[in-house]
Amino acid sequence: MKKHKKLIAAMVTVGLMTSAFSAQAASLTGDDLIKEIGKGYSKLETTVKVEDYTKYGVDFEGFQDAVIAASYQAPLSLGIESYKYSTDNVKYATASPYYLVSDRVQLKVNQSKLKKEVERITKSLIKKDMTEKQKHEAIYNYLVKKVKYDNAAYNNFKSGKVTSITEAHTAYGALVNYLAVCQGISAAYKALADEAGLESIVVTGTYKGEGHQWNKIKVNGKWSNIDATIKN
């Protein structure tokens, strides 16, 4: 069984998933499946294999949802346009992501640039004596100050002139080009938070009636929303 699904059609809220995941599976093991798949994306694997997706409490449709959700939690993948799925109809499944940068050499070069920027920025922002809240505030303030909102990318996508993601939708756009839309800014936040050892996720929803992405962060055991795009 194979199926293509566009990334831009996905509106999955990670950690609070109400798709094919049952409430119990999402709270117990759904995030583990997302993390496993996300590791493959971060390694730029062309085929991500899951030996037994049923142990995460999901069916194949749930696996597909996790494949999409994982892309939002793997900012080092530099953007994924679409996927191809396959399964043995029992428990084994694979996801073949189509990365935004199709040239493998260039993809690795861009990832190397992004990693260096993530490390450099995090080192400059995060100090050992900071609290979790202060670290999150430092990341938020940096993105608000440094990243310019890409109105051209937004308008092209909204008008249908561009129907797929661009660099503006990635952490690379935000942290290397300093030009991004909400998807890129939230991905950049996730990348910096990961590097700083902070808990955060990218979530999707709507803002003023339009699709939007932002972050949820965990501070002192409590989750709250944070949105570095609105100030841009």
Side-chain angles (χ1 to χ4, degrees), residues 128-145:
K128 291 183 179 180
D129 60 347
M130 283 182 167
T131 64
E132 284 184 335
K133 182 179 180 181
Q134 289 172 330
K135 291 176 182 179
H136 278 295
E137 287 175 343
I139 293 172
Y140 172 84
N141 290 333
Y142 178 86
L143 293 175
V144 169
K145 181 180 179 180

Side-chain angles (χ1 to χ4, degrees), residues 197-230:
L198 301 170
E199 287 194 70
S200 74
I201 58 174
V202 176
V203 294
T204 66
T206 59
Y207 176 71
K208 293 184 177 180
E210 297 186 355
H212 186 58
Q213 292 185 20
W214 64 97
N215 300 88
K216 279 185 175 291
I217 60 174
K218 191 174 184 180
V219 178
N220 298 326
K222 296 182 179 180
W223 287 94
S224 60
N225 293 300
I226 191 165
D227 192 337
T229 299
I230 302 301

Side-chain angles (χ1 to χ4, degrees), residues 27-47:
S27 63
L28 295 177
T29 60
D31 287 346
D32 292 329
L33 176 57
I34 291 168
K35 289 176 182 178
E36 180 179 343
I37 297 170
K39 288 179 182 177
Y41 295 161
S42 296
K43 294 177 182 177
L44 306 179
E45 294 178 357
T46 55
T47 300

